[in-house]
Amino acid sequence: MSSDHAALERDERESIALPPELVSRIEARLPRSDFDSADEYVAFVMQEVLTAVEAETETDDYEGAAQDEVEARLESLGYLE
């Protein structure tokens, strides 16, 4: 497990409800990943997505992330259908 994974484990946790079919898809990916749980997987993916979105929004010419762009990115990661 990388230091990023360890840092995510040490942080306080909040609960977020996900649709059961999404949880099943995440759990199916676990054997092909370095993650021990769906919680770790989701926390890592969301941190990566938010880091990318935040980096995009910090540019001088940023006019606001379009809702459809964010939804497309989440859909490509399997969080929206």
Side-chain angles (χ1 to χ4, degrees), residues 25-53:
R25 290 173 60 194
I26 294 166
E27 289 174 342
R29 296 198 53 79
L30 291 178
R32 298 184 303 264
S33 75
D34 292 331
F35 299 98
D36 295 326
S37 70
D39 289 342
E40 287 179 22
Y41 184 93
V42 170
F44 179 79
V45 170
M46 291 308 303
Q47 180 141 353
E48 292 294 308
V49 169
L50 288 172
T51 298
V53 169

Side-chain angles (χ1 to χ4, degrees), residues 52-67 69-70:
V53 169
E54 290 167 351
E56 290 173 7
T57 61
E58 290 177 5
T59 62
D60 292 340
D61 60 348
Y62 177 71
E63 294 180 10
Q67 181 73 20
E69 290 176 21
V70 173

